Amino acid sequence: MNLIVCVKQVIDPEAPPASFQIDATSNKVIPPSGVSAVISPFDENAVEAALRIKDARGGKITVISLGINLLREVVKKPLSMGADELILLEDEAFADGDSHSTAYALAMAIKKIGDYDLIFCGRQASDWDAGQIGSGIAEILGLPGVTLAKKVDSTDGQAKVERITADGYEVVEVPLPAVITVSNELGEPRYPTIKGIMAAKKIEPVIWKPADIGVASSRVGAAGRRTKLLKLFPPVQESKCDLISGESPEEAGVNLALKLREAKLF
Amino acid sequence: MTEYKGVMVYAEVTDGKLAAITVELLGCGRKLADELGEELMATLIGRTVSNLAPEAITFGADKVYTVEDQLLEDYQTDAYLPVMARLTGEVMPQIILLGQTEIGRDLAPRLAFRLETAATLDCVDLAIDMESKWLRQTKPVYGGNARAVFLTESRPQVATVRAKAMSPPERNTARKGEVIPFTAGLEPAAIRTRVLEKVPQAVAEIRLEDAEVIVSGGRGIGNAEGFQQLAKLAGLFKGAVGASRPAIDNGWVPDVSQVGLTGKIVTPELYIAIALSGASQHMAGCSGSKNIIAINKSPEANIFREARFGVVGDWEKVLPAFTDKVRELLTE
């Protein structure tokens, strides 16, 4: 099985919301100091989905990441979890893309890899929450896709996917090659092992520029956008919490009940 | 050159009725269509859906396209996508709206890519830019830490809308509209996927989206047993139990209980958040609640920034006393 996983480097979404700042003139987020970049959490779920198939069925996992200033210790994490190869689409031309230009570049890179059975993406990245890359890649490559997967298995040229629905899940069968987007319901991604970290150190990422994947710089990154960002701003938030106390935590609980009753909340 | 004109709503159906999000979309679509001075269209797709067309008209549609075929019984990308692509290719709406549901999330981006345009998912506000006439699409980004306004400068402009972001319109039974059947024209072989089974995960009698009171727990609850205490409190209010992502990922509660950006969007009267930090991506699912109550041991927890009342303390001590007092007050 040849498995491909697309991952994105993002600002750690677990950073305290108070540290979140926007530069209004450039419409960009100011990376908070002391907060490291990470792989977008749903993309780690996607890596985990691929690893489970590799564990059960064997195969090779190729990870692709697109961006600029990709920190090697960040983008190598999937390798330390057990992936085999890393391709970086790293060039100024790839920067500041939208779902369209990014999916196009990733699809062209996957086309260059050529030999693949399953392509995994996270359901959405934790920065722009666009949620379109997997669907875009499937559409550009003309592949079937299943979104919002919580479980994936594959045998005999097919994948069986548990897809999340509003009131539970459905089991969908899809022929390979196919694109699967993965959700957190898949379960916690594994931690890198010491052995994995050592192995990852020895793997040199392959760097591809637009010309390497046969695309014009005008089709990718900011130049290839179809959507225009007009404005990025913080939502209005009122701080008005009335903190209820007591001599003990138990008494605080009792006082809270009394307060809610007084406010006619129940 | 043919012109792109009008607003089209993809009318999702649940349990044989127009989904709540569909009614909200019709309300929002109607306003946009009026601002443009153009028509509002709705599209119903399924095995038997044309009976719902009059309903869509009472909520604001001028035209309803109905596409019925037994191959359209279940939502599958390969079945619905070509139908929507062909229909919108012929009708040429300038705006296409879908719900941010597991169907809309799947269909909208594929449709946009196929039509060589772009989509914006999870919008909470839509407005026509008065000068350019493009659709201003506002959506939460960075897990809810920020909002972004996008323009898609190609047509059709595709957007999905978050549940409960738009208020549902009043029904107007006097409204007149046209119902237009459209042939699916599907080849069975073109549908590459197959739905083998549908597995409902019933958690309680009350769905999270319908509950007036929700008791929600986070990572700090620590285990599945802890959630039973939350269920006790929820039971007193005839409410439902919700959870943040870490609790789901740890398997303490069923997946369908997830509240947040990637779970359910809820708007109860009372949302009691216990041992839950209030990460932005969780708040995205519950900040529309009328009253948020927080119990958390950390005074720095983000949840206190959005709560109306709160207690700083260990939930294992606060909650039982709170639950007992609530029970007592309810029986008075």
Side-chain angles (χ1 to χ4, degrees), chain B residues 37-94:
Chain B
E38 295 174 4
E39 282 182 333
L40 176 65
M41 299 163 271
T43 299
L44 282 157
I45 301 177
R47 187 177 178 141
T48 336
V49 285
S50 52
N51 56 314
L52 298 171
E55 185 87 345
I57 292 167
T58 63
F59 284 118
D62 299 307
K63 278 183 186 154
V64 183
Y65 293 92
T66 58
V67 194
E68 296 183 314
D69 194 303
Q70 47 184 3
L71 292 172
L72 297 167
E73 166 122 41
D74 294 313
Y75 172 78
Q76 289 191 85
T77 320
D78 278 357
Y80 279 50
L81 176 60
V83 168
M84 277 300 280
R86 208 161 53 82
L87 175 66
T88 52
E90 280 185 28
V91 175
M92 298 180 78
Q94 64 159 315

Side-chain angles (χ1 to χ4, degrees), chain A:
Chain A
M1 293 279 280
N2 285 310
L3 310 165
I4 294 176
V5 189
C6 302
V7 304
K8 185 177 189 182
Q9 174 180 302
V10 296
I11 293 171
D12 188 353
E14 299 283 323
S19 71
F20 190 84
Q21 276 189 313
I22 294 166
D23 175 25
T25 47
S26 67
N27 275 335
K28 282 187 180 170
V29 173
I30 304 166
S33 59
V35 174
S36 64
V38 296
I39 295 290
S40 180
F42 295 118
D43 297 349
E44 285 200 6
N45 293 124
V47 173
E48 177 62 31
L51 286 167
R52 288 182 192 174
I53 291 186
K54 185 185 164 184
D55 290 346
R57 315 274 172 209
K60 187 178 89 176
I61 301 176
T62 305
V63 174
I64 310 180
S65 191
L66 174 149
I68 47 167
N69 306 323
L70 298 174
L71 302 171
R72 296 303 186 259
E73 69 269 25
V74 174
V75 290
K76 276 192 165 186
K77 187 175 177 191
L79 296 174
S80 60
M81 291 165 74
D84 302 280
E85 286 178 11
L86 178 64
I87 296 170
L88 301 178
L89 304 183
E90 197 177 31
D91 191 276
E92 285 295 330
F94 292 124
D96 294 326
D98 65 357
S99 300
H100 173 257
S101 57
T102 303
Y104 178 71
L106 289 168
M108 291 304 116
I110 291 166
K111 209 171 184 176
K112 176 168 174 163
I113 294 170
D115 201 7
Y116 50 80
D117 297 296
L118 279 167
I119 300 162
F120 292 95
C121 299
R123 58 178 291 170
Q124 64 201 70
S126 63
D127 48 6
W128 292 99
D129 286 313
Q132 305 192 39
I133 292 300
S135 299
I137 291 171
E139 198 55 31
I140 294 165
L141 297 177
L143 299 176
V146 182
T147 50
L148 309 178
K150 60 170 275 188
K151 193 173 174 192
V152 189
D153 195 10
S154 178
T155 47
D156 306 324
Q158 301 239 324
K160 202 187 259 189
V161 184
E162 290 183 7
R163 176 178 193 266
I164 293 156
T165 60
D167 59 356
Y169 64 93
E170 59 189 16
V171 185
V172 183
E173 198 173 64
V174 59
L176 306 185
V179 181
I180 315 279
T181 76
V182 181
S183 192
N184 60 289
E185 288 87 343
L186 185 103
E188 294 274 6
R190 67 194 62 187
Y191 287 101
T193 58
I194 298 289
K195 202 177 138 212
I197 293 167
M198 298 308 288
K201 280 203 172 129
K202 293 190 193 121
I203 302 171
E204 270 307 304
V206 174
I207 318 270
W208 284 348
K209 306 279 174 192
D212 296 318
I213 53 172
V215 301
S217 295
S218 60
R219 288 289 307 273
V220 298
R225 289 184 75 106
R226 281 182 179 164
T227 51
K228 187 156 106 185
L229 175 64
L230 291 184
K231 202 172 145 194
L232 184 68
F233 60 101
V236 188
Q237 204 166 37
E238 308 155 56
S239 182
K240 53 182 171 12
C241 187
D242 186 352
L243 287 178
I244 314 296
S245 53
E247 293 290 319
S248 62
E250 288 82 1
E251 194 186 299
V254 169
N255 291 343
L256 178 65
L258 290 167
K259 189 76 188 184
L260 299 191
R261 189 63 158 179
E262 186 193 310
K264 297 195 167 57
L265 296 188
F266 71 90

